[in-house]
Amino acid sequence: MPPETGAEPPHTTVGEDDVRRIVREEVQRAFKKDPAARKAALVASKGTLDWAYPPLILASSAAAIGMEASIFFTFYGLNVIHRDFARKLKIAPVGNPAMPMPVRIPDIVSSLPGMVPMASAMMRAKFARNNVATIGDLLDTAREAGVRLVACQMTVDVFGYAQDDFIDGVEFAGATAFMAEARRAHVTMFV
């Protein structure tokens, strides 16, 4: 017997497990249709604390859902994979109008000596209070998940670095080699 006119359709409840299963099935179907859908290629060109997070989180997330992920670190992005990343990754409040500060600080004050370490410490404390993983933890997670960390050989040479200056597991390649990888990926991002 058809439902009465104006009657509400029956409601079905979809739980979290159902949603996860549906998403997993959709991802698997997409992978079967197009192998390139299994690849993510990111370029990391920024070397500040706040810009170190996006490529590591995105690539690790891609690997977590079964994608082959790689990050090409170029120019200041090399700071993220440098052995001394904890010291090199800072954040400067000057020229960053989006940076949240507890009180409004004029640019002239934010350019005074000591403001970069203060802003960097403040950002690290904010991350810690909110249980955000450290860059070291994210690098470990990325390597454990099989994310390829690729340093731009040209930039390494220009900056006078040696391969020993970088964390374990870093590969070295030129832009052409990375482009060959990126052209076979559906997800490509410049961060």
Side-chain angles (χ1 to χ4, degrees):
M1 172 181 219
E4 296 178 28
T5 307
E8 286 189 34
H11 292 281
T12 58
T13 304
V14 178
E16 184 177 338
D17 290 339
D18 294 323
V19 171
R20 289 180 188 274
R21 180 186 48 77
I22 292 166
V23 169
R24 192 172 34 256
E25 289 170 359
E26 286 297 317
V27 168
Q28 289 170 347
R29 269 196 293 280
F31 284 171
K32 286 178 185 171
K33 288 179 189 174
D34 186 356
R38 293 186 195 139
K39 292 184 182 268
L42 290 79
V43 177
S45 64
K46 311 278 191 305
T48 59
L49 179 62
D50 53 336
W51 281 99
Y53 279 88
L56 294 172
I57 291 170
L58 291 167
S60 295
S61 296
I65 64 165
M67 297 178 80
E68 293 175 32
S70 58
I71 309 171
F72 185 71
F73 296 89
T74 188
F75 285 85
Y76 308 111
L78 290 175
N79 286 347
V80 179
I81 53 173
H82 194 278
R83 283 198 188 280
D84 198 15
F85 66 84
R87 186 185 61 80
K88 286 183 164 290
L89 296 175
K90 301 172 186 165
I91 189 164
V94 176
N96 189 354
M99 183 176 179
M101 298 295 271
V103 294
R104 182 156 160 57
I105 297 175
D107 280 346
I108 191 73
V109 173
S110 59
S111 65
L112 292 173
M115 292 303 286
V116 169
M118 184 193 79
S120 300
M122 194 174 79
M123 187 62 79
R124 282 187 179 93
K126 185 178 280 239
F127 287 148
R129 273 193 312 275
N130 290 286
N131 298 313
V132 176
T134 66
I135 296 301
D137 292 338
L138 290 174
L139 284 165
D140 290 343
T141 299
R143 288 183 287 192
E144 288 167 11
V147 173
R148 291 181 57 217
L149 307 176
V150 183
C152 174
Q153 185 63 59
M154 181 207 71
T155 309
V156 168
D157 294 343
V158 167
F159 288 172
Y161 290 135
Q163 290 187 0
D164 290 346
D165 291 329
F166 297 92
I167 62 173
D168 294 336
V170 171
E171 302 171 37
F172 298 85
T176 304
F178 183 75
M179 289 303 292
E181 178 78 15
R183 75 184 180 99
R184 293 187 302 268
H186 272 294
V187 177
T188 56
M189 297 177 162
F190 188 90
V191 182

